[in-house]
Amino acid sequence: ERALNDFNGVHDAELKIVIGQLQTAEDAAAAAKRARDAKRAEEAALEKALAKRQLHVGAFPDAAMREQYLGQNSGARIWWDAEADELHWPVLLLYPEPAMSDFIQDFGESETLLDHLVHMFGENGEQAPAWDKEHAYKAPCLQPYLNFTDDDEQKRWLPLDVEKQLGEQLRAAHSEGYVIPGIPMIQVMVRGSAYEQRLLKS
């Protein structure tokens, strides 16, 4: 009888372990489903917000860029703040003359380029990066462009206004055939420079 009780005790303990493992697996599966549902809902809301603004997001130039700027380790994402009805973008600023760049992880559509350029370069170039030895990159003196091929297969350099909201300008560019290449990629040059004039003529 004692042996039988010992057997039953061991059996009960093993059964509790199995039940616990099953419960853990069920909890994990339920949590994974909630996460998938939440992600799908977030993606649907983002698509709706993009459609409302008549914005078209196309593919990155290559898969490596997508992984670099929107991959799991990038810390960046395109997202919609439902409460504020505000789209947020990662934005890549490209400086073609020195062949340098800056990556802004979160750029609200109501923000202006000037907000960020002042933070990065300063009004008078006082925060110039090491590559700008001549302090030519002063925020008010910079001219940003969207560079793209329009619906007529024409290469375009569309100037942006640093004091206007980013979202407003992306919508205006869309009406001219601009498709966001994964994320907004903005070329920035010193306004009136020989490099800018030469590039635009080419």
Side-chain angles (χ1 to χ4, degrees):
E1 184 177 341
R2 180 177 179 183
L4 181 60
N5 289 337
D6 289 345
F7 173 79
N8 287 337
V10 171
H11 182 266
D12 290 346
E14 290 177 346
L15 187 59
K16 288 179 180 178
I17 291 173
V18 171
I19 291 173
Q21 290 173 338
L22 288 173
Q23 186 63 52
T24 299
E26 288 176 1
D27 291 345
K33 183 179 184 304
R34 288 194 297 272
R36 288 194 301 272
D37 290 345
K39 183 177 181 180
R40 279 196 290 266
E42 182 179 323
E43 289 173 349
L46 175 59
E47 288 178 8
K48 187 175 180 180
L50 289 168
K52 175 184 175 182
R53 292 159 174 78
Q54 297 184 320
L55 295 176
H56 181 200
V57 180
F60 277 86
D62 59 64
M65 284 190 72
R66 189 188 194 293
E67 182 61 27
Q68 181 178 358
Y69 297 116
L70 281 183
Q72 290 185 350
N73 298 322
S74 69
R77 63 191 178 111
I78 303 169
W79 64 286
W80 176 59
D81 182 343
E83 185 175 346
D85 189 20
E86 172 108 349
L87 274 175
H88 290 255
W89 300 92
V91 171
L92 182 62
L93 299 182
L94 301 165
Y95 312 104
E97 185 171 9
M100 302 300 290
S101 66
D102 279 315
F103 180 57
I104 302 170
Q105 286 190 330
D106 193 295
F107 196 131
E109 66 178 345
S110 64
E111 297 174 7
T112 71
L113 280 161
L114 188 60
D115 296 334
H116 292 274
L117 293 173
V118 167
H119 177 73
M120 290 185 288
F121 295 101
E123 291 274 357
N124 299 297
E126 63 272 18
Q127 299 186 63
W131 51 262
D132 181 22
K133 299 186 183 304
E134 298 179 357
H135 290 208
Y137 283 72
K138 304 175 181 69
C141 299
L142 299 178
Q143 178 59 60
Y145 290 91
L146 292 176
N147 178 221
F148 63 98
T149 301
D150 64 20
D151 296 336
D152 296 322
E153 300 300 317
Q154 298 295 313
K155 186 93 167 179
R156 297 283 305 278
W157 287 92
L158 184 66
L160 300 178
D161 187 330
V162 295
E163 296 187 17
K164 287 186 177 179
Q165 296 180 353
L166 176 66
E168 174 189 346
Q169 298 194 80
L170 290 178
R171 289 192 292 275
H174 173 79
S175 67
E176 299 196 34
Y178 174 68
V179 175
I180 298 168
I183 60 173
M185 300 183 190
I186 299 172
Q187 308 270 350
V188 181
M189 292 174 265
V190 176
R191 187 183 301 109
S193 65
Y195 180 88
E196 179 194 35
Q197 295 173 18
R198 186 167 63 252
L199 189 63
L200 296 181
K201 286 180 180 178
S202 66

